[in-house]
Amino acid sequence: MSLDSQDSTSPSFNRDWFFPSPSFIHQSPPKPPKPHRRFSTASKHSPDSNISNPPSFRSSPSLSPTTSKYGRLRRRVEFPRPPDKSSIQHQNASVLDRKPVVSSEKKQSTVKVSSGSLGHRVRVRWNLAITVAIVITALTSLVHKNFTLHNQVIVLQDQILKLNVRLRACNLLSNVDTFDSVMQELDDIGYGSHNGLKNLALIVSVTLLSIPVLAFKYIDFVSKSRSSDSVLEEALLNKQLAYRVDIFLSVHPYAKPLALLVATLLVICLGGLALFGVTDDNLADCLWLSWTFVADSGNHANTEGIGPRLVSVSISFGGMLIFAMMLGLVSDSISEKFDSLRKGRSEVVEQNHTLILGWSDKLGSLLNQLGIANESLGGGIVVVMAERDKEEMEMDIAKMEFDFKGTSVICRSGSPLILADLKKVSVSKARAIVVLAEDGNADQSDARALRTVLSLTGVKEGLKGHIVVELSDLDNEVLVKLVGGDLVKTVVAHDVIGRLMIQCARQPGLAQIWEDILGFENCEFYIKRWPQLHGMQFEDILISFPDAIPCGIKVASCDGKIILNPEDSYVLQEDDEILVIAEDDDSYAPAALPTVKEASFMHIARPARMPQKILLCGWRRDIDDMIVVWRGSLPKDFIGPKSAEKILFCGWRRDMEDMIMVLDAFLAPGSELWMFNDVPENEREKKLIDGGLDLSRLENIQLVNREGNAVIRRHLESLPLQSFDSILILADESVEDSAIQADSRSLATLLLIRDIQSKRLPMVNQVRRGTFSQGSWIGEMQQASDKSVIISEILDPRTKNLLSMSKISDYVLSNELVSMALAMVAEDQQINDVLEELFADEGNELQIRQADLYLSEGEELSFYEVLLRARQRREIVIGYRAANAEKAVINPPAKSERRRWSLKDVFVVIAEKE
């Protein structure tokens, strides 16, 4: 028998009724036959009708009662037959054809269900809202009607009492009994109505208390129903309500006190209604009693009865909650206020104050100098605004341990680039604004200073004072002045310090003189107009101030230009002002001309100096300006012949090219400049050229490059340290961001150089070695310091004490000198023109002159006489340093007294650059 025939005839081997074919699944269901009997004797399924008429479960051949072995369900063990490939493909195709139909049907049904459920929820909400409105209206009308009836009963009782009095007056005693019975009935009626009113009040209070609970339950129910429906992308109702409450509390400033007031009134009203319902008191007394329970939770102790006690405890509990809310609100308000004060958010209400924008290592010295400057005025106000926390700034200022001499320092946290923060510190009312340079990259610092100046010029109210800007790069000065105009005065810190280091290296002791002149502790520059001196010549003005030294004239006819060291024949005009060096602005005044003996001119030929070598240890950005500078035009007989020098630079600065240009102008032809740093030699020339240095312009010096680390002894020993005339230890560019690290490196380099020099000097000079003790290493280094001058660039003022105690190096306080200059320009912007000329390539400068230019050994002269002798060389003597003194005396007192001078003395003068 074939397999096909067997499958078609024998139902035992037919599996189609267990696994219907795809065509069987997709066929329309057949019309059921009329059930004329319960069991069928013939098979309703045949091989021919298998595709067209799929059988139902009841009419399958396997369950047909005609075959006894299919009469009940049973398990059949059979090896599985591999499915037909054509049927599988047909089944997959039919399933794929059916999927989009099913998905579209699902989407349609989902949209229908969602739209239906949404409409149903909207109808339910409207119905609920209408029902609640009707219930509230009915309750309100019932309460109003009951209170009206209660008032009518009270009026009727008053009328009955009045009638009773009249009846008693008419001696109608016989009707009194009748009246008593009537009154008893009326009292019963009134008592019943009164009880009904109290019950209604109790019901109303309970209802009002339950309304918020029901509302929250309803909101929670609606939110859950929305969250269960993933089709509607709507915010939940509870989230919407919480968002609205949050917005209300955030936007409105008085939202929290208003919410607390409403909650208090609700507790008092509901508590009064509840007390009215459980006690015999009237409504007004119950409301007052409810307020006492809210205000003081201990007032309910004397309450009697279960109902009044329950109500009073509930009111007291609500009062405690309200008190906690009020306490939290007051505490938050006070905390926010103190937090605002602590973080520096409050506005500064000051006038004529000094405003400092930014934070750097120079701030301490700047505050100290401003405090000293304002001491004569009884103190001033200095406001500091930086992008730091106010408490941190105050703690750092307190650690500085400066005596501000009565000056108050106010700190505020904010950004100088934001106009709102600038208004917070009253920028428009400040008499001076100081913009400090940030520590770090010079270009970024100057860019931020430029943006700050732009913000300051954008203040609508305008600026009352001037702006003092500290810059790091000289090339950015033009751009800042272009933006700020006449309001801006710039102090280029890096360029000033580089030039000052060159001057101090060639003239030891000049750093201390600059500290005395720039700081407010001793003498400084002042400009003032003196009408009584109009018409006098400058040579007479020089000796007209017993307590000051005139240095220049502010010429009104030249738009206020300040001329330092003018001609003796210049006549003071009406609006001109006099520039002097004095102790304070109120410590000097002109007096009668003293009697001064005319001193004869002394022509002294100065000996020629030997050639020198100079070693530069390090690298600066302005080193070209240190090599090349303008040459002055003094008379030939005033200038002594120069000799070549040898200078060493240890370290590398950003302005190395500027320093090289300055040195090239100062030194004689044939001088050598040694540069010792860790910058590769092939990169140095590129950096110098990029900085603007033209090596072909160098006429007087020859560059000698050495590569090495200035804190490694074997690297320093490779240099001829004993042969240098001057050694400059620069704050290296790699560590200049950290003042402590830079100073530590400079100190280490200084000690190593002095130690190497002291070890080599005995081979050069055996005689000088015996003047010091054998175990004194400081003595050996001091011996080495007599041979060469070492200038160390110091960033931290605390390092000053270490160098001053050892006396092994002259020093330059970088940050402190810049802070002094900023303070002077902040107090008087005209001083900036004076400082610019003293530090510039052209014009006048501070110089130290030997006494043999003005006097002879042992000659007795007054200071005025020395001053007049110096005028013959077009110089102004501003002070002197005695041979046995460590510090110079600027603006000496008793200028008319004569004293004996020594040729070892030196004078500090203002003279034209050579």
Side-chain angles (χ1 to χ4, degrees):
M1 183 182 293
S2 64
L3 185 62
D4 296 337
S5 62
Q6 187 178 1
D7 291 341
S8 60
T9 57
S10 177
S12 62
F13 293 95
N14 189 357
R15 296 185 304 167
D16 290 341
W17 67 277
F18 287 106
F19 303 95
S21 63
S23 60
F24 178 84
I25 295 175
H26 291 286
Q27 282 183 355
S28 60
K31 296 182 180 180
K34 296 181 180 180
H36 59 277
R37 56 185 177 182
R38 186 173 182 180
F39 297 100
S40 176
T41 57
S43 174
K44 291 184 172 60
H45 178 70
S46 63
D48 298 334
S49 62
N50 190 20
I51 299 177
S52 60
N53 296 321
S56 63
F57 182 76
R58 284 183 175 272
S59 60
S60 60
S62 61
L63 298 179
S64 177
T66 56
T67 306
S68 60
K69 59 182 177 181
Y70 300 126
R72 66 181 183 273
L73 293 174
R74 60 189 179 92
R75 179 179 297 178
R76 181 174 58 182
V77 179
E78 182 179 350
F79 291 98
R81 188 177 58 182
D84 191 4
K85 294 184 179 179
S86 60
S87 61
I88 291 175
Q89 293 176 356
H90 181 69
Q91 182 178 0
N92 293 334
S94 61
V95 171
L96 292 175
D97 293 339
R98 190 179 178 186
K99 280 184 179 179
V101 178
V102 175
S103 62
S104 60
E105 290 176 356
K106 285 185 179 180
K107 290 183 180 178
Q108 293 177 1
S109 62
T110 303
V111 173
K112 290 180 180 180
V113 171
S114 62
S115 60
S117 61
L118 179 62
H120 177 69
R121 281 198 298 272
V122 170
R123 287 194 298 272
V124 170
R125 291 180 186 176
W126 276 105
N127 294 334
L128 183 60
I130 294 172
T131 304
V132 170
I134 293 173
V135 170
I136 293 175
T137 304
L139 288 175
T140 305
S141 60
L142 288 176
V143 171
H144 178 71
K145 184 175 181 180
N146 277 277
F147 276 101
T148 304
L149 292 176
H150 180 66
N151 293 331
Q152 292 178 359
V153 169
I154 292 175
V155 172
L156 291 175
Q157 288 179 354
D158 293 338
Q159 292 178 358
I160 290 173
L161 289 175
K162 292 178 181 180
L163 292 175
N164 189 14
V165 172
R166 291 180 181 179
L167 288 175
R168 289 179 182 277
C170 296
N171 294 324
L172 298 176
L173 300 176
S174 59
N175 296 329
V176 171
D177 296 335
T178 306
F179 175 75
D180 290 339
S181 62
V182 172
M183 287 295 297
Q184 184 66 30
E185 292 177 0
L186 289 175
D187 289 340
D188 294 340
I189 295 173
Y191 180 76
S193 62
H194 191 62
N195 286 338
L197 185 61
K198 289 181 177 295
N199 293 332
L200 180 61
L202 188 61
I203 292 173
V204 169
S205 62
V206 173
T207 303
L208 292 177
L209 283 175
S210 61
I211 286 176
V213 179
L214 295 177
F216 282 116
K217 289 292 184 181
Y218 171 73
I219 292 172
D220 185 62
F221 170 74
V222 172
S223 300
K224 289 182 178 179
S225 63
R226 283 188 177 182
S227 62
S228 61
D229 190 1
S230 61
V231 178
L232 296 178
E233 297 182 355
E234 297 181 2
L236 301 180
L237 186 59
N238 55 356
K239 292 184 178 181
Q240 292 182 2
L241 182 61
Y243 172 73
R244 296 299 177 185
V245 173
D246 185 24
I247 292 297
F248 175 75
L249 295 178
S250 302
V251 173
H252 300 281
Y254 300 104
K256 294 180 180 178
L258 182 63
L260 181 62
L261 178 62
V262 171
T264 305
L265 293 177
L266 285 177
V267 172
I268 293 173
C269 294
L270 294 179
L273 287 176
L275 286 176
F276 181 73
V278 297
T279 60
D280 296 334
D281 298 331
N282 55 25
L283 184 60
D285 294 338
C286 291
L287 290 175
W288 176 254
L289 190 60
S290 176
W291 159 247
T292 59
F293 290 161
V294 171
D296 187 2
S297 58
N299 286 336
H300 69 278
N302 298 326
T303 307
E304 297 180 355
I306 297 178
R309 286 181 177 177
L310 290 176
V311 174
S312 61
V313 168
S314 302
I315 298 173
S316 299
F317 183 72
M320 288 188 288
L321 291 179
I322 290 175
F323 178 76
M325 293 170 57
M326 181 182 65
L327 186 62
L329 181 62
V330 173
S331 177
D332 290 343
S333 301
I334 296 175
S335 299
E336 289 178 359
K337 186 62 178 178
F338 276 100
D339 187 63
S340 176
L341 295 175
R342 179 178 60 84
K343 292 185 177 180
R345 298 173 183 171
S346 60
E347 185 177 357
V348 176
V349 185
E350 294 289 348
Q351 293 183 356
N352 296 325
H353 59 283
T354 302
L355 176 61
I356 301 176
L357 302 177
W359 187 279
S360 68
D361 295 335
K362 308 177 186 67
L363 182 64
S365 301
L366 178 59
L367 292 176
N368 185 33
Q369 294 299 322
L370 292 175
I372 297 173
N374 295 324
E375 183 180 7
S376 60
L377 303 176
I381 302 296
V382 179
V383 180
V384 180
M385 187 178 75
E387 297 182 17
R388 297 185 60 193
D389 187 71
K390 177 176 177 287
E391 290 184 339
E392 294 181 359
M393 291 190 287
E394 291 176 347
M395 291 177 61
D396 291 343
I397 292 175
K399 292 178 182 178
M400 295 175 184
E401 298 180 354
F402 286 120
D403 184 10
F404 296 132
K405 311 293 183 180
T407 298
S408 301
V409 181
I410 302 173
C411 297
R412 287 294 180 267
S413 181
S415 174
L417 305 179
I418 302 176
L419 292 178
D421 292 343
L422 291 176
K423 293 180 180 179
K424 183 174 61 177
V425 292
S426 300
V427 65
S428 60
K429 300 178 182 178
R431 65 183 179 91
I433 304 169
V434 182
V435 180
L436 294 179
E438 292 184 344
D439 298 330
N441 185 270
D443 294 332
Q444 294 180 359
S445 176
D446 290 350
R448 184 174 180 83
L450 178 63
R451 293 196 299 268
T452 302
V453 173
L454 285 173
S455 300
L456 292 173
T457 55
V459 177
K460 295 182 180 179
E461 295 81 2
L463 299 178
K464 177 182 178 181
H466 59 282
I467 306 172
V468 183
V469 183
E470 179 196 358
L471 297 177
S472 301
D473 197 338
L474 185 63
D475 298 333
N476 300 322
E477 183 180 15
V478 178
L479 184 59
V480 173
K481 287 186 176 181
L482 179 64
V483 172
D486 297 334
L487 285 176
V488 175
K489 302 296 180 181
T490 58
V491 176
V492 186
H494 224 63
D495 181 69
V496 167
I497 296 303
R499 296 173 182 271
L500 186 58
M501 290 184 68
I502 296 297
Q503 295 180 13
C504 296
R506 302 187 65 251
Q507 303 183 71
L510 194 59
Q512 178 261 322
I513 296 173
W514 270 112
E515 284 188 28
D516 293 341
I517 293 178
L518 289 179
F520 288 96
E521 295 181 358
N522 299 305
C523 295
E524 53 273 354
F525 292 104
Y526 292 101
I527 300 177
K528 190 177 293 187
R529 181 172 173 266
W530 300 98
Q532 60 269 36
L533 300 181
H534 292 165
M536 294 181 61
Q537 293 184 353
F538 184 74
E539 61 179 355
D540 295 329
I541 296 175
L542 277 173
I543 57 177
S544 298
F545 293 90
D547 300 317
I549 299 178
C551 301
I553 302 295
K554 181 181 178 182
V555 183
S557 59
C558 298
D559 297 331
K561 180 181 179 181
I562 297 177
I563 300 178
L564 281 175
N565 191 15
E567 297 285 347
D568 289 341
S569 60
Y570 179 83
V571 179
L572 191 68
Q573 302 300 319
E574 183 178 357
D575 295 330
D576 292 347
E577 299 180 23
I578 302 175
L579 172 69
V580 301
I581 293 180
E583 186 176 358
D584 207 344
D585 56 351
D586 56 354
S587 63
Y588 70 99
L593 291 176
T595 301
V596 180
K597 182 180 178 181
E598 185 70 21
S600 60
F601 177 76
M602 297 184 62
H603 180 76
I604 300 176
R606 305 192 64 180
R609 289 181 293 178
M610 299 301 294
Q612 299 180 3
K613 290 184 179 180
I614 299 176
L615 174 62
L616 291 177
C617 289
W619 188 267
R620 281 175 54 110
R621 181 171 47 84
D622 57 351
I623 201 167
D624 51 351
D625 291 341
M626 299 178 69
I627 299 177
V628 181
V629 78
W630 176 87
R631 291 164 179 79
S633 58
L634 286 178
K636 294 182 179 180
D637 56 344
F638 288 4
I639 303 175
K642 292 184 179 181
S643 58
E645 300 180 19
K646 189 176 181 181
I647 298 178
L648 170 66
F649 275 9
C650 289
W652 183 275
R653 282 177 53 128
R654 298 191 309 269
D655 53 355
M656 187 69 79
E657 60 276 0
D658 298 332
M659 299 180 70
I660 295 176
M661 293 173 63
V662 172
L663 275 179
D664 186 66
F666 278 137
L667 300 181
S671 300
E672 293 182 3
L673 175 60
W674 290 53
M675 292 187 295
F676 178 73
N677 50 71
D678 54 3
V679 177
E681 296 183 11
N682 54 359
E683 296 182 7
R684 296 182 190 179
E685 184 177 354
K686 182 178 181 301
K687 287 188 175 184
L688 293 175
I689 295 175
D690 293 341
L693 176 64
D694 187 0
L695 298 178
S696 61
R697 293 173 53 195
L698 301 180
E699 300 177 357
N700 298 329
I701 64 174
Q702 178 184 0
L703 296 181
V704 180
N705 291 308
R706 291 292 184 269
E707 184 177 349
N709 195 334
V711 295
I712 298 178
R713 186 182 183 90
R714 68 175 184 273
H715 291 178
L716 291 173
E717 288 178 345
S718 62
L719 302 174
L721 297 176
Q722 73 280 359
S723 63
F724 293 106
D725 299 284
S726 301
I727 299 176
L728 277 69
I729 301 176
L730 311 176
D732 200 89
E733 184 179 16
S734 59
V735 293
E736 66 178 355
D737 295 342
S738 175
I740 297 177
Q741 187 176 358
D743 289 351
S744 301
R745 186 181 181 90
S746 299
L747 282 177
T749 304
L750 171 63
L751 295 175
L752 288 174
I753 291 176
R754 284 305 190 199
D755 184 60
I756 295 173
Q757 287 180 339
S758 64
K759 296 299 188 295
R760 294 178 180 179
L761 277 177
M763 295 183 294
V764 179
N765 190 353
Q766 298 288 342
V767 178
R768 299 185 58 185
R769 179 72 173 86
T771 58
F772 301 96
S773 61
Q774 294 292 334
S776 175
W777 62 274
I778 294 183
E780 295 177 355
M781 292 185 180
Q782 289 176 356
Q783 179 188 3
S785 65
D786 295 337
K787 178 65 175 60
S788 62
V789 177
I790 295 184
I791 302 297
S792 303
E793 182 180 6
I794 302 301
L795 304 181
D796 193 347
R798 292 172 293 185
T799 316
K800 169 184 176 181
N801 300 328
L802 300 177
L803 294 178
S804 60
M805 289 173 58
S806 61
K807 299 179 183 179
I808 58 176
S809 171
D810 200 352
Y811 60 91
V812 175
L813 284 178
S814 243
N815 289 345
E816 190 167 6
L817 287 176
V818 174
S819 301
M820 291 176 180
L822 290 173
M824 291 192 69
V825 179
E827 290 296 317
D828 190 354
Q829 59 178 330
Q830 304 174 105
I831 304 299
N832 189 52
D833 298 334
V834 180
L835 298 180
E836 284 183 351
E837 182 174 349
L838 292 176
F839 289 130
D841 299 337
E842 303 178 0
N844 294 271
E845 67 176 353
L846 288 179
Q847 296 182 11
I848 297 178
R849 297 293 194 192
Q850 297 294 327
D852 55 3
L853 289 178
Y854 314 107
L855 48 86
S856 302
E857 179 68 32
E859 188 176 2
E860 290 188 1
L861 296 173
S862 66
F863 186 80
Y864 277 141
E865 294 172 345
V866 176
L867 182 62
L868 292 178
R869 286 189 178 182
R871 287 306 298 167
Q872 298 174 7
R873 289 177 166 78
R874 189 70 183 280
E875 299 172 352
I876 299 177
V877 179
I878 63 174
Y880 65 89
R881 186 181 67 188
N884 55 354
E886 296 182 358
K887 297 185 64 175
V889 179
I890 305 299
N891 183 27
K895 299 180 178 61
S896 300
E897 295 182 2
R898 302 172 68 89
R899 56 164 294 178
R900 188 177 299 275
W901 301 92
S902 172
L903 292 181
K904 295 182 179 180
D905 298 336
V906 294
F907 291 94
V908 182
V909 302
I910 295 178
E912 292 186 5
K913 294 181 174 65
E914 298 178 359

